[in-house]
Amino acid sequence: MAAKSASLIRARRLWTDTPFGEAAVSFFASRIATISFIVLVIICLGALLAPLIAPQNPYDLTKLSILDGELPPFSVGGDGFLFIAGTDDQGRDILSAILYGLRTSLSVGVISTSFALVFGLTMGLISGYFGGWVDAVIMRIVDLQLSFPAILIAMILLAVLGRGVDKVILALIIVQWAYYTRTIRGAALVERAKEYSEAARCLALSNARILFVHLLPNCLPPLIVIAVLQIGHAIALEAALSFLGLGVPVTEPSLGLLISNGQEYMLSGQYWLTVFPGVALLSTMVAVNLVGDQLRDVLNPRMKA
Amino acid sequence: MRMVSSILSALCFFGVAGLHAQSQDLKIGTARTSTSADPHFFLMNANDELRHYAFESLVDVDESGDPKPRLAASWKLLDDKTWEFKLRDGVTFHDGRKFTAKDVIYSICRVRANVSAGSFARYVSQVAGANATDPLTLVIRTRAPYPLLLPEFSLWAIVPAPEDVGDLDIAVDGCGVKSFPTNADFDNLKFAIGTGSYAYTAYTVGGAAKFKRFDRYWGERPAWETVTIAPIEDASVRTAAFLAGDYQLIQGPTPSALTRIEQDAKYKTANAPTYDVRYLMFDTAREPSPQVTGTNGRNPFKDRRVREAVSKALNRPAIIERVLNGKGVAIANIQGPETFGFNHALKAVEFDIEGARKLMASAGYAEGFGVTLSVQLDTEASRVGQAVAQMLARIGIKVQLDSLPTSVFFQRRSTGDYSLYSYTVGARTGEMGTSLRVLLGTPKTHPGFGNINGGGYSNPDLDRLLVAAQAEMDDGKRRALLEDANRVMAEDHALALIYQRVDTWAFNSTIAYQPSISGYTLARDARLARRDR
Amino acid sequence: MIVYLINRVGQSLFVLSAMSLIVFVGIYVIGDPVQILVSPEASAEEIAQVRRNLGLDLSLPTQYLRFLSGATSGDLGSSFVYNESAIVVILRHFPATLELALAAMFIAIALGIPLGVWAGIRSETFSAKAIMAASTVGASLPTFWVGLILIMCFAVYLGWLPASGRGATRSVFGVELSIFTRDGLAHIILPALNLALFKVSLVIRLARAGAREIVGQEFIKFARATGQSPARIVLGHLLKNIMIPIVTVLGLEFGSVLAFSVVTERVFSWPGMGNLLVRSLFLLDRPIVVAYLMLTVVIFVVINFTVDVIYTFLDPRIRFSAKAG
């Protein structure tokens, strides 16, 4: 027993000694951050497992019956089905719709941000490292992109592309990547001037090796922080686009679309159509933002003071 | 949770508390955003709604599709192609000028000269000659016998001819007029002058229009001193603004709020059927059909039995009750009973799931098939589309719903990309022939037919009846031809007609509002309610 | 300075032409505006006629070259829908959006700075934490949802303010503005509040960070030691020092406020540029969309340039050469 706990302590010590462990310890030092992290994990699990835990598949129109439309929470439908959070106008179970909507919203946020991060990162590294005309071309494109507000570009893109989850993701990648490129290029320029980079070059290491093995790890932490916060922005942007009628299709509503579909029912007191999805979106956003804030404090030494 | 609803019902109650009946001022919230104050500029409902305030036409179309006098007091046919109009005496424009036949000819010329995308020119294209035999007598010659002249003359407005305008010759391009006022001249109100019961006092493109009573109006004295009509496109925002007391009268309150509004003594609602009829259109032309799956290349919609099965699978009462909150009527004609040529013998297809399944089986589709249903991206179309998808699933047709922005929807319809789509049809001429022709006519063999026939439907019997009706000057015979055309359409299940839309208006109990078939929100239909208390 | 200017203008011209090309092609790909604009009763000849009149019968490259040659002389084409110069149509909608954005900025500053400063100098109190929590929640709420809630509360329930639309306007130097009439003010409060929501959170954060940094610094300690009242310290020293970053950031954000007003304008039926853009996008009114984007680029360039210039005046250490790259 004693030996076991001793080794456990040792193991924990070892774990906390790694840079990751250190960050984790200081991350969970804040109660608010811990709570939001747990909330976020629960939300993500709900979204991931939606097909397993949702009482109904809200996208399958054959399972819906408009005769069950607009039922208040805890109503029983025509075939004895219990609608815990009520139904929408099509007889869609709101709880299931929220779980699936969460899935759509989160995947839009996460997938678009990750792709934008990877692409933006690559472009930024290339630009910052090679300099010269490569840099000039990439940075002009970035300027082009950044001289417009994201929502405008996304609106135009979606007007061209049409509706669809994949199209929203594509539009969000396009509006986000330049942001990372700009950030990483700045960092890369700084890093390039540093000694280890010079040293690496003296050792005749390949450009690619210098880029990915030496530059990347040094630029990554601030980017991760930005990315986490950016997921929140992406989700909000998707919601706004869906509200304007340019986002996901009506048969696969995201949280934003659920809220926007349900808002007219507020006036008639059928609050469940918009309030429940609203609460889900709000908790997701707050959790993502709080986790992002804490990450920034932990990973960014400048902000610590 | 019950508390939330009771708070919300309280909201609706308090909303009106701060509102006092301003007897002489009417504020209207409409769903439509106009693009100009120019009545000849762009043919769209929003502009047309405003036209009814400041401008008038020669004739009107009444609730049963028959023409009735407006600025023309009477008319008669001199021969098949010559019409004589006696104009109303004592009519003045807002700027004091007297209305004469020359104004009518000038208006025809201006309508013709406008070649914008939303031009009214087609409504005067049949006019071969126009001359005034005296200031109040107008003779119009048409190119061919043209029974639709009067309904079409009800659609464009009379504007005053400038005093210095010379002789107007219809045969010449532009009638010899050097330049017509532009739509911008109307928007800044310099030329927005008509004979209507209200005169413009302010107009913002894309914003509100303001009117004041025209005291020298020839007809019934308007009830309101001033009228403001403001566009609010979103139904829930419009309803909220109404409940907040911003407007005394709104068109189309959000359906879900209707029960609340109807139960509240502070408010009233009124309904009127509209010209709009929603239908499902099948691709009956191609084999294989682009968006049909699981049929080994066969196009099921070429089979009348499948079309009938689809129609029978639609639970119209449920759609009307659940999706439209009761604001619709199941229908069997392509237009409602207010339209000339309505066939009263036809009955809407009954919901019959067993019958539908049998038809599917007899056509060889017992296992069903897959199809994409394309609808325009708006709330009603999307909701009806989802309901239709649910119902067709019950007879084995797996429907993938695709809701497209207006821009894309029309583009794809014109290129014939759809196997199944839903849209609405509604002709303001108040005549069946127009809708049947543009939607179901065969464009290849009949010019001007089938402009929006996105399913490639073609039926020689129907075409023949429509051609005959187009040249028939006798109203009785024409009515019979159109009734017969409707029967042919219904028996062939050319379309699955779903419902005729009913529009709703909500207004304060202090006013009385009786909407007209036009579907427009007009101040002349509203007056102060009599105080009984 | 002159080199910098030329650089800047050159860059902007590049951005302008690239963007116009993208939008031009993009909208061409979406669909045919004529199909939307003409009446269902229009015949094939009528449609062809309309297409000719709008210049849509030409090939795409020809259309674009035509547009470019017009653009160099300041003509961005005529709206398909309004039959007027696109730029005129947009500028007519501009004052409404501008005053909405300015009102939102004003609210953001008026609410954000006091709350942020309070949260900064009393950072350990409950109220400070509540302010920060509220700002996080505020930044997380979807704008359109908040808009509807605002309408429900203040217009429908309390009946204090009108729910939508723009109020009576008054001509100020030839521009129709609504903020100088009582009716107009009543109408602008809710949408401005809605639009300000994001920026309030931003200002609170900036003000808090600034206040925290400055509170610890020598000159504030000195001021306190000399016995100046807390209010005087806050007003005199603190605000002066935190205003510069806040004004800079807000200046840079102004363009995005203009752009994000799209959502607010839809919710409140505000007759501004955003509403116009959404309608034009749905109607494929290409000249309006292109002109709108051109105007946005110009506004952004002007804003960035102004901020740069102000910067150099405020902080002579910043050199133009350093920023030009």
Side-chain angles (χ1 to χ4, degrees):
Chain A
M1 271 297 267
K4 202 173 182 184
S5 67
S7 73
L8 209 93
I9 289 168
R10 206 178 313 128
R12 182 176 293 160
R13 219 174 249 155
L14 283 175
W15 179 72
T16 54
D17 282 346
T18 64
F20 175 77
E22 248 175 67
V25 168
S26 51
F27 180 91
F28 290 111
S30 154
R31 200 151 33 117
I32 294 178
T34 313
I35 295 173
S36 15
F37 183 77
I38 295 170
V39 170
L40 198 57
V41 168
I42 295 174
I43 288 173
C44 290
L45 279 179
L48 269 178
L49 303 177
L52 299 177
I53 56 175
Q56 186 193 56
N57 178 359
Y59 298 165
D60 184 357
L61 290 172
T62 56
K63 295 281 186 326
L64 311 181
S65 167
I66 54 168
L67 298 175
D68 290 337
E70 295 166 34
L71 294 177
F74 297 106
S75 310
V76 177
D79 52 358
F81 189 90
L82 176 68
F83 296 107
I84 294 172
T87 62
D88 73 357
D89 56 293
Q90 296 290 328
R92 193 178 274 126
D93 177 34
I94 292 286
L95 178 64
S96 310
I98 289 175
L99 286 169
Y100 273 79
L102 210 51
R103 206 173 148 86
T104 311
S105 294
L106 274 179
S107 35
V108 165
V110 173
I111 297 177
S112 67
T113 306
S114 330
F115 273 95
L117 176 63
V118 171
F119 184 69
L121 190 78
T122 318
M123 297 306 272
L125 283 176
I126 292 173
S127 178
Y129 194 81
F130 290 103
W133 68 269
V134 179
D135 178 45
V137 169
I138 293 178
M139 289 324 286
R140 285 299 82 78
I141 302 175
V142 168
D143 281 345
L144 174 69
Q145 182 93 66
L146 292 180
S147 47
F148 279 97
I151 193 165
L152 268 190
I153 305 188
M155 273 174 67
I156 309 262
L157 278 172
L158 285 172
V160 174
L161 296 171
R163 287 197 143 194
V165 176
D166 47 343
K167 288 157 187 159
V168 175
I169 290 176
L170 181 63
L172 290 181
I173 294 173
I174 293 175
V175 299
Q176 288 183 78
W177 70 273
Y179 197 44
Y180 301 104
T181 306
R182 168 68 61 89
T183 314
I184 198 78
R185 176 197 177 248
L189 280 180
V190 173
E191 296 291 329
R192 196 160 71 125
K194 282 188 183 165
E195 279 112 23
Y196 72 88
S197 202
E198 294 286 330
R201 222 169 307 161
C202 288
L203 291 171
L205 296 178
S206 79
N207 273 338
R209 203 182 144 86
I210 298 170
L211 273 180
F212 288 100
V213 179
H214 297 276
L215 277 182
L216 188 56
N218 288 289
C219 303
L220 216 46
L223 278 186
I224 290 174
V225 174
I226 298 177
V228 170
L229 291 171
Q230 207 55 34
I231 290 176
H233 287 166
I235 294 175
L237 197 52
E238 182 277 321
L241 289 167
S242 292
F243 168 76
L244 292 175
L246 289 160
V248 298
V250 278
T251 45
E252 292 172 45
S254 65
L255 287 179
L257 192 58
L258 279 176
I259 297 171
S260 132
N261 282 345
Q263 65 169 21
E264 64 167 271
Y265 293 91
M266 284 287 281
L267 292 168
S268 56
Q270 285 149 316
Y271 60 90
W272 60 91
L273 282 131
T274 182
V275 166
F276 292 154
V279 169
L281 182 62
L282 180 61
S283 357
T284 314
M285 295 284 296
V286 170
V288 168
N289 284 345
L290 287 176
V291 166
D293 281 354
Q294 180 73 1
L295 265 183
R296 180 176 52 202
D297 291 354
V298 170
L299 291 178
N300 195 341
R302 264 194 315 147
M303 294 296 289
K304 247 182 205 166
Chain B
M1 304 218 171
R2 187 168 301 156
M3 208 181 78
V4 178
S5 359
S6 57
I7 289 175
L8 284 167
S9 62
L11 306 188
C12 303
F13 178 78
F14 281 111
V16 82
L19 195 115
H20 2 250
Q22 291 163 310
S23 56
Q24 295 304 303
D25 182 42
L26 181 65
K27 285 200 169 69
I28 298 174
T30 175
R32 309 177 173 109
T33 304
S34 64
T35 62
S36 180
D38 180 350
H40 296 161
F41 170 55
F42 209 107
L43 180 55
M44 61 187 281
N45 287 341
N47 295 357
D48 214 32
E49 187 163 64
L50 295 181
R51 163 173 79 92
H52 283 77
Y53 283 81
F55 300 94
E56 291 178 292
S57 303
L58 275 189
V59 293
D60 272 346
V61 169
D62 72 6
E63 311 284 296
S64 52
D66 291 319
K68 66 177 184 194
R70 190 88 191 180
L71 287 183
S74 67
W75 54 85
K76 64 175 182 240
L77 268 171
L78 299 180
D79 63 55
D80 257 10
K81 296 195 272 189
T82 315
W83 301 69
E84 188 192 77
F85 292 89
K86 286 281 178 206
L87 304 185
R88 199 174 292 278
D89 195 10
V91 175
T92 45
F93 285 100
H94 298 150
D95 61 354
R97 270 180 274 177
K98 254 183 82 66
F99 163 70
T100 66
K102 192 163 193 178
D103 300 314
V104 182
I105 303 175
Y106 179 77
S107 299
I108 295 176
C109 295
R110 184 166 185 269
V111 166
R112 257 202 200 161
N114 171 19
V115 286
S116 80
S119 170
F120 287 68
R122 92 181 58 90
Y123 297 134
V124 293
S125 63
Q126 283 296 327
V127 178
N131 53 292
T133 47
D134 69 60
L136 292 178
T137 308
L138 176 71
V139 175
I140 301 267
R141 271 171 294 105
T142 61
R143 296 183 202 284
Y146 196 64
L148 275 180
L149 192 79
L150 291 177
E152 290 189 350
F153 270 29
S154 74
L155 295 175
W156 49 270
I158 310 286
V159 299
E163 258 131 38
D164 56 354
V165 77
D167 282 336
L168 298 163
D169 183 1
I170 287 280
V172 180
D173 203 25
C175 303
V177 177
K178 268 190 227 80
S179 73
F180 290 101
T182 64
N183 58 301
D185 293 331
F186 278 76
D187 295 345
N188 63 32
L189 302 188
K190 213 160 71 188
F191 283 91
I193 295 158
T195 59
S197 49
Y198 290 96
Y200 272 106
T201 54
Y203 177 74
T204 316
V205 176
K210 291 186 177 171
F211 299 95
K212 71 170 193 304
R213 171 158 60 203
F214 178 42
D215 285 322
R216 283 191 281 166
Y217 183 59
W218 60 269
E220 195 185 341
R221 185 182 149 86
W224 308 94
E225 185 88 38
T226 56
V227 178
T228 304
I229 176 161
I232 314 167
E233 288 176 1
D234 189 289
S236 48
V237 175
R238 196 163 58 243
T239 313
F242 170 70
L243 295 174
D246 291 6
Y247 302 99
Q248 289 128 284
L249 166 65
I250 57 162
Q251 178 213 353
T254 178
S256 60
L258 270 179
T259 332
R260 300 266 152 173
I261 293 174
E262 278 160 2
Q263 281 165 0
D264 195 322
K266 304 271 178 199
Y267 308 118
K268 281 197 176 121
T269 60
N271 299 320
T274 66
Y275 286 119
D276 290 346
V277 170
R278 181 168 288 283
Y279 59 86
L280 287 182
M281 173 70 123
F282 309 97
D283 173 16
T284 47
R286 284 163 301 175
E287 185 126 38
S289 190
Q291 295 176 324
V292 170
T293 56
T295 58
N296 292 325
R298 282 164 68 205
N299 177 356
F301 298 126
K302 285 191 124 173
D303 192 323
R304 196 192 63 90
R305 286 168 296 184
V306 175
R307 302 200 295 267
E308 189 178 351
V310 167
S311 209
K312 281 192 164 171
L314 298 180
N315 187 348
R316 293 176 177 78
I319 292 178
I320 289 165
E321 200 46 50
R322 291 287 166 160
V323 181
L324 306 175
N325 287 59
K327 305 305 172 196
V329 180
I331 193 170
N333 282 251
I334 200 166
Q335 300 275 249
E338 308 75 17
T339 308
F340 185 88
F342 186 85
N343 189 336
H344 287 273
L346 300 174
K347 294 279 168 281
V349 179
E350 295 270 332
F351 172 58
D352 173 12
I353 198 94
E354 281 316 312
R357 284 191 184 130
K358 275 190 199 122
L359 282 164
M360 287 287 282
S362 74
Y365 296 102
E367 300 299 309
F369 54 88
V371 67
T372 303
L373 167 61
S374 302
V375 298
Q376 194 198 13
L377 177 62
D378 68 42
T379 318
E380 186 185 302
S382 303
R383 286 189 181 156
V384 172
Q386 290 183 65
V388 167
Q390 285 183 21
M391 289 166 182
L392 295 188
R394 307 270 190 274
I395 59 165
I397 303 179
K398 270 201 78 73
V399 174
Q400 175 92 37
L401 186 68
D402 197 4
S403 47
L404 305 157
T406 314
S407 46
V408 184
F409 182 82
F410 286 136
Q411 168 79 9
R412 299 222 180 131
R413 184 183 64 186
S414 73
T415 48
D417 284 0
Y418 302 140
S419 288
L420 183 66
Y421 71 88
S422 171
Y423 196 57
T424 57
V425 60
R428 300 215 153 266
T429 48
E431 203 253 15
M432 287 287 172
T434 319
S435 299
L436 285 168
R437 250 190 335 268
V438 295
L439 195 55
L440 295 171
T442 312
K444 258 189 218 141
T445 47
H446 298 78
F449 277 40
N451 299 331
I452 53 166
N453 185 347
Y457 181 80
S458 175
N459 184 339
D461 292 342
L462 189 63
D463 287 340
R464 205 167 37 245
L465 287 166
L466 293 174
V467 169
Q470 225 175 353
E472 179 56 63
M473 294 301 286
D474 182 281
D475 279 355
K477 284 183 191 156
R478 196 156 52 94
R479 195 185 292 271
L481 284 167
L482 291 173
E483 285 177 5
D484 211 29
N486 261 316
R487 180 190 56 79
V488 170
M489 170 206 70
E491 282 175 359
D492 198 32
H493 293 279
L495 301 165
L497 295 165
I498 313 179
Y499 56 84
Q500 176 186 16
R501 183 157 51 208
V502 172
D503 252 0
T504 311
W505 283 262
F507 46 94
N508 292 338
S509 313
T510 49
I511 64 175
Y513 182 72
Q514 186 53 54
S516 62
I517 173 76
S518 69
Y520 299 140
T521 315
L522 303 177
R524 68 170 185 233
D525 295 335
R527 52 198 78 259
L528 221 53
R530 216 175 299 176
R531 290 263 166 113
D532 294 332
R533 274 167 284 169
Chain C
M1 171 97 188
I2 288 167
V3 174
Y4 167 75
L5 248 179
I6 293 171
N7 242 329
R8 242 312 168 27
V9 172
Q11 257 180 44
S12 316
L13 282 179
F14 169 76
V15 169
L16 278 172
S17 48
M19 208 63 208
S20 68
L21 181 64
I22 293 169
V23 174
F24 226 83
V25 177
I27 294 190
Y28 183 80
V29 171
I30 305 178
D32 180 3
V34 176
Q35 296 287 347
I36 307 173
L37 297 176
V38 297
S39 140
E41 295 160 42
S43 65
E45 301 84 73
E46 280 177 68
I47 292 176
Q49 175 70 37
V50 168
R51 191 162 283 139
R52 263 197 305 283
N53 291 332
L54 298 179
L56 291 168
D57 54 333
L58 305 167
S59 73
L60 185 64
T62 323
Q63 287 184 41
Y64 185 65
L65 285 178
R66 256 196 177 186
F67 163 78
L68 276 190
S69 70
T72 48
S73 57
D75 172 19
L76 295 177
S78 282
S79 156
F80 298 158
V81 176
Y82 300 100
N83 193 29
E84 276 183 83
S85 155
I87 213 80
V88 169
V89 174
I90 291 173
L91 288 180
R92 204 187 290 136
H93 288 76
F94 185 63
T97 299
L98 184 69
E99 70 178 359
L100 179 61
L102 286 175
M105 288 300 222
F106 175 77
I107 291 177
I109 292 175
L111 277 181
I113 290 185
L115 290 175
V117 167
W118 177 261
I121 52 182
R122 295 269 187 278
S123 59
E124 293 311 314
T125 60
F126 174 76
S127 55
K129 285 180 176 155
I131 290 171
M132 291 320 290
S135 96
T136 304
V137 172
S140 308
L141 288 164
T143 318
F144 60 93
W145 196 65
V146 177
L148 201 85
I149 300 285
L150 285 176
I151 293 177
M152 289 295 293
C153 288
F154 293 102
V156 179
Y157 176 40
L158 296 168
W160 292 349
L161 295 165
S164 71
R166 192 171 179 221
T169 57
R170 179 174 296 167
S171 183
V172 182
F173 301 118
V175 181
E176 290 291 324
L177 292 177
S178 73
I179 41 172
F180 297 110
T181 65
R182 236 185 88 94
D183 182 46
L185 267 183
H187 276 85
I188 206 171
I189 291 176
L190 287 185
L193 204 59
N194 186 224
L195 189 57
L197 190 71
F198 267 107
K199 302 304 161 198
V200 173
S201 306
L202 182 73
V203 174
I204 287 180
R205 277 158 184 251
L206 286 171
R208 172 174 171 263
R212 277 176 82 173
E213 204 169 295
I214 285 166
V215 162
Q217 276 176 9
E218 295 301 319
F219 72 97
I220 297 278
K221 283 185 189 154
F222 180 76
R224 209 175 271 167
T226 56
Q228 293 184 22
S229 74
R232 208 189 135 87
I233 294 172
V234 169
L235 285 177
H237 297 285
L238 228 166
L239 279 187
K240 210 167 82 190
N241 280 284
I242 61 170
M243 275 314 269
I244 294 170
I246 291 180
V247 168
T248 316
V249 172
L250 282 187
L252 286 170
E253 288 285 318
F254 189 66
S256 91
V257 173
L258 281 179
F260 270 92
S261 69
V262 171
V263 177
T264 302
E265 287 182 14
R266 289 303 280 181
V267 174
F268 289 91
S269 295
W270 190 259
M273 292 201 308
N275 237 329
L276 175 73
L277 176 70
V278 175
R279 268 205 310 276
S280 304
L281 262 181
F282 285 135
L283 291 173
L284 298 180
D285 195 347
R286 186 179 66 202
I288 297 271
V289 177
V290 174
Y292 181 98
L293 290 176
M294 302 284 107
L295 195 69
T296 315
V297 176
V298 170
I299 290 172
F300 266 65
V301 168
V302 169
I303 288 171
N304 288 340
F305 183 71
T306 318
V307 169
D308 280 352
V309 169
I310 292 175
Y311 244 76
T312 35
F313 280 115
L314 292 177
D315 191 347
R317 279 171 304 173
I318 299 169
R319 289 269 157 77
F320 276 107
S321 56
K323 295 223 78 189

